[in-house]
Amino acid sequence: MSRAEKEVVLLELPEPSSPEPGQILVAVEAAGVGPWDELEIDARWDVGLRPPAALGVEGAGKVLAVGAGVTQFAVGDRVLAHETPLPGGSGFWAERVLINADHAAACPPGLDAAHAAALPVNGLTALQALEKLDLSRGQRLLITNGGGGTGALAIQLAAAQGIEVTATASATATERLLGLGATEVVDYHDPNWSTTVRGGFDAALIIAAGTADAALPLVRDGG
C-alpha cells in the first residue's frame, strides 16, 4: 500500500514455510480489513511483518496443512482467525497464511467466508470488553456506536446473556439493532441524546470516539 497515492500493489510473495508444531497453513478465502491495518503499514503496531509481505491480521479459509501436535483441525477444515504476531511474517491479504492453531476457530456451517473474515477482531473486542464488564442478567448496559462492527456484535452477545442494552446509533440503524437484541436505540445525531435516556446504567461500553463525556455520567455509582 502506498500511503502517498493510496494504491494497492500486487506482490509476488514466497510460499509460507511448512507448519511447525502447533501451526496450520491456511488457504485464504477472505480477509478482514479495518482501521488497524493502517497501523501495520507504518509499524505503529508491530505484528511481525517481514517484507515483502501482505497485511491483514484476520481472515477465513481452509486448512492446507497442519503441524505436529495439532488435533483440533484437519486438512480441509474451514477456519476463521485473528493472528498477531504473524509467525510466517505475512498476513491474510495473501493467498496462503501461516498461523498458530490456537488462534483459529472452526468456521460455523453456513457462514460464508466474507462474513467469517470480518468477525475475529470485532468479535474478540466485543467479547473481551463484555468479559471485563462482567454484567449479569437483568443489568443495564449503554453502548455507543451500536451500529458499528464491534457494537453490533456486543449488542448480540450482551442480549444473549439477558443484559438490557441501550445503544446509540443513526436513526436508520434502529430497526436493525432492535432486531439484534437492543432494548432501546438513541439517535446520536441529537446533540442532547444523553438527556433522553434513563440513567443508572450498570456499565458503559464506549466505542464511538468522543462520547465518554456524555455517556459516563449515565453510569451509576459503582458501575
Side-chain angles (χ1 to χ4, degrees), residues 35-123:
W36 48 85
D37 291 305
E38 186 172 356
L39 303 179
E40 302 168 41
I41 295 172
D42 56 15
R44 281 180 288 165
W45 184 23
D46 183 5
V47 297
L49 289 174
R50 295 195 293 272
L55 299 178
V57 295
E58 66 174 352
K62 288 186 178 180
V63 176
L64 290 176
V66 299
V70 175
T71 58
Q72 66 269 50
F73 300 118
V75 172
D77 287 349
R78 296 181 67 239
V79 297
L80 54 85
H82 166 42
E83 180 67 285
T84 177
L86 296 159
S90 190
F92 284 86
W93 295 10
E95 293 176 328
R96 286 169 287 280
V97 64
L98 186 67
I99 62 174
N100 292 299
D102 287 346
H103 296 170
C107 188
L111 185 64
D112 65 81
H115 286 87
L119 276 177
V121 174
N122 285 314

Side-chain angles (χ1 to χ4, degrees), residues 14-39:
E15 287 288 330
S17 61
S18 297
E20 296 184 0
Q23 296 178 340
I24 56 176
L25 181 64
V26 176
V28 179
E29 295 178 331
V33 179
W36 48 85
D37 291 305
E38 186 172 356
L39 303 179

Side-chain angles (χ1 to χ4, degrees), residues 117-152:
L119 276 177
V121 174
N122 285 314
L124 283 170
T125 301
L127 180 63
Q128 291 168 354
L130 291 173
E131 287 176 344
K132 288 288 187 182
L133 293 177
D134 193 25
L135 297 178
S136 302
R137 178 175 295 275
Q139 289 191 294
R140 299 177 63 233
L141 171 65
L142 172 64
I143 298 176
T144 66
N145 191 18
T150 300

